[in-house]
Amino acid sequence: SKTETAPAPAHKTKAPIVLKKPEHAPAASQAKANAPEIPSTPAKGEVHGMPFLVESSSIENGVLTLRLGKDVTADLEVQVVLPTPPWEVPAGKNFKVTGPAGAGAPQIVLAWKEAGQTAPSEQKFTDKYTLLLDFSQEKDKKLPGKIYLTLPDEVKSHVAGTFDADIKGFRIVDGKPDLAVDSVDTLQYLALRELLK
């Protein structure tokens, strides 16, 4: 008698898995795409409705100052009050505020000359601004950096670009005071040291 052999079961071939590309980019890449870019040109913009070109910049006691004007009182000035110890130079540090400014965020101060006034007018901002501030390493008593700043005032004051801030005032370097700096804080430190002795 003939023995019937059952045909071997056919192997089921799995359908290739097709990965669909997401319709929307991931949030991280979207955030990177939406993040403002800081231009590599000298910092400039518009402050209080007037053109603003940074002619000089300095950092002293934790305050970065960008100025337009050669007089003692600047024609236009932007100050960024940093949440750092006042005697510390923020070399290599970055500051970023793109949403609600929480506790310890920098404070922004605008100052400008008004016709017929001796003292400059000021406007302060502690929230609802955008700030990207990157400091490089100190070089030749200067602190290079770059900034992107937009403010929520009526004229949308803004400044963006690079700067070389002169390092001024008393400061601590590698845990030791820099006594070569000519400033009132240096005298106060020396006087306090002598009193403690």
Side-chain angles (χ1 to χ4, degrees), residues 103-117:
Q107 178 179 324
I108 313 298
V109 182
L110 296 186
W112 63 91
K113 284 182 179 178
E114 291 281 3
Q117 291 186 357

Side-chain angles (χ1 to χ4, degrees), residues 43 52-57 66-70 75:
F52 179 64
L53 175 65
V54 177
E55 294 182 337
S56 63
S57 59
L66 308 175
R67 304 177 85 244
L68 169 66
K70 304 296 185 182
D75 297 332

Side-chain angles (χ1 to χ4, degrees), residues 43-55:
K44 62 181 180 179
E46 185 176 311
V47 171
H48 198 63
M50 293 174 280
F52 179 64
L53 175 65
V54 177
E55 294 182 337

Side-chain angles (χ1 to χ4, degrees), residues 1 10 35 86 91 136 147 162 183 190:
S1 63
S136 301
I147 187 172
T162 61
S183 73
L190 292 172

Side-chain angles (χ1 to χ4, degrees), residues 64-86:
L64 172 66
T65 303
L66 308 175
R67 304 177 85 244
L68 169 66
K70 304 296 185 182
D71 297 337
V72 176
T73 303
D75 297 332
L76 294 171
E77 188 173 87
V78 177
Q79 291 185 351
V80 182
V81 183
L82 302 172
T84 57

